[in-house]
């Protein structure tokens, strides 16, 4: 894990930080650190002190916990422009899960929770943005539980593709590109289905020319008819 001091250009990368006043930007500059991580490197681990918040500048982060037999359970993804570790703002003492870099060169802005709390207290717009993303995480968790209860595996997988496309997809005409994408096992973990079921559904969609995919990317032909 490589750390370096933030600069005025670097600390403004996030959608969250663009609304700061000059004084607040200076506060972030003086107290924030840019972190660069290798693939599979942990940002924090379950049970560690919860005293930092992170904004994702580049790459993807997975939130995991340990299940039975110490098996890793993938809980959620955090993408570019999003935040993680927000529990440190709201009184969490120890991490309830583990955050791990999914790509090479994942880049984060690390800030002390106490500084983030001060910014939220003095900047209503920033507070609204942070609260909005936390609410979105809660809605996503509720949707996953609802889908698990009422929807079949195929529907869960397709809805996951749509949701991921809206969050991170890049529009190319009528098509939507997801790159880099996830392994079939990761999709299975996030949709509570098996890797084999994911492969079957993706192959079916590919055969119908609704998607194209390889090991690194997935292209949705027309999101409106997926």
């Amino acid at each position: 894990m490589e750390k370096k001091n933030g600069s005025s250009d670097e600390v403004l990368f996030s959608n969250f930080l663009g609304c700061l006043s000059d004084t607040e930007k200076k506060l972030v500059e003086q107290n924030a650190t840019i972190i660069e991580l290798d693939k599979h490197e942990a940002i924090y681990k379950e049970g560690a002190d919860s005293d930092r918040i992170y904004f994702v500048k580049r790459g993807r982060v997975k939130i995991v916990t340990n299940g039975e037999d110490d098996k890793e359970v993938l809980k959620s993804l955090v993408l570019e422009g999003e935040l993680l570790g927000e529990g440190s703002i709201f009184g969490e003492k120890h991490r309830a899960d583990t955050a791990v870099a999914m790509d090479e060169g994942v880049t984060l802005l690390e800030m002390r929770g106490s500084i983030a709390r001060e910014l939220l207290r003095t900047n209503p717009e920033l507070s609204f943005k942070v609260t909005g993303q936390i609410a979105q995480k809660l809605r996503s968790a509720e949707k996953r539980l609802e889908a698990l209860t009422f929807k079949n595996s195929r529907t869960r997988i397709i809805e996951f593709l749509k949701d991921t496309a809206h969050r991170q997809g890049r529009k190319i005409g009528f098509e939507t590109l997801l790159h880099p994408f996830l392994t079939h096992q990761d999709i299975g973990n996030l949709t509570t289905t098996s890797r084999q079921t994911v492969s079957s559904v993706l192959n079916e969609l590919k055969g119908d020319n609704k998607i194209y995919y390889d090991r690194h990317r997935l292209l949705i032909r027309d999101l409106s008819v997926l």
Side-chain angles (χ1 to χ4, degrees):
M1 181 184 295
E2 181 181 351
K3 295 190 177 185
K4 53 189 177 181
N5 292 333
S7 70
S8 58
D9 290 333
E10 289 171 326
V11 297
L12 296 178
F13 67 79
S14 170
N15 293 334
F16 292 99
L17 304 183
C19 64
L20 300 183
S21 68
D22 289 342
T23 300
E24 290 167 336
K25 290 174 185 176
K26 187 174 182 180
L27 179 65
V28 171
E29 274 189 71
Q30 294 171 342
N31 293 277
T33 303
I34 298 294
I35 300 176
E36 295 179 359
L37 302 107
D38 296 325
K39 188 174 183 179
H40 305 311
E41 188 173 359
I43 300 156
Y44 55 77
K45 295 185 178 181
E46 189 171 345
D49 290 343
S50 181
D51 57 357
R52 297 288 191 274
I53 186 172
Y54 303 87
F55 297 90
V56 182
K57 176 179 180 181
R58 179 179 181 274
R60 302 169 299 168
V61 173
K62 62 180 179 179
I63 306 299
V64 302
T65 189
N66 291 327
E68 294 182 3
D69 302 323
D70 219 28
K71 182 180 179 181
E72 181 182 282
V73 177
L74 178 58
K75 296 173 64 177
S76 63
L77 303 178
V78 186
L79 307 177
E80 290 182 9
E82 298 181 348
L83 77 159
L84 66 148
E86 63 272 15
S88 63
I89 303 175
F90 303 107
E92 179 186 69
K93 299 300 183 183
H94 302 285
R95 300 295 186 188
D97 41 39
T98 297
V100 180
M102 292 188 68
D103 308 301
E104 289 293 345
V106 167
T107 307
L108 308 174
L109 176 70
E110 178 190 70
M111 188 189 311
R112 292 204 308 272
S114 58
I115 298 299
R117 279 195 299 274
E118 178 63 18
L119 291 174
L120 293 178
R121 187 183 66 81
T122 59
N123 190 310
E125 185 177 353
L126 178 63
S127 180
F128 179 79
K129 289 180 178 181
V130 170
T131 302
Q133 186 169 121
I134 294 171
Q136 180 59 47
K137 287 185 178 183
L138 292 174
R139 284 194 296 270
S140 295
E142 290 172 354
K143 285 175 64 177
R144 286 180 63 189
L145 180 59
E146 182 179 293
L148 182 61
T149 304
F150 299 109
K151 298 178 181 179
N152 60 36
S153 297
R154 184 179 187 277
T155 300
R156 295 202 300 272
I157 292 167
I158 291 174
E159 289 191 352
F160 172 78
L161 295 180
K162 290 180 178 179
D163 179 64
T164 305
H166 286 302
R167 290 178 64 197
Q168 74 169 100
R170 180 161 62 92
K171 294 294 290 184
I172 306 174
F174 287 105
E175 298 179 324
T176 304
L177 177 66
L178 299 172
H179 176 74
F181 199 49
L182 300 164
T183 68
H184 292 189
Q185 186 62 62
D186 285 339
I187 298 172
N189 290 342
L190 289 165
T191 57
T192 321
T193 56
S194 68
R195 180 182 60 80
Q196 293 82 359
T197 299
V198 173
S199 298
S200 176
V201 171
L202 293 184
N203 286 333
E204 176 191 334
L205 295 173
K206 187 176 182 180
D208 292 339
N209 199 34
K210 292 184 176 181
I211 67 170
Y212 170 81
Y213 73 92
D214 56 30
R215 291 182 62 187
H216 305 291
R217 61 178 178 151
L218 185 142
L219 186 70
I220 299 174
R221 300 297 187 188
D222 187 342
L223 190 56
S224 66
V225 298
L226 181 62

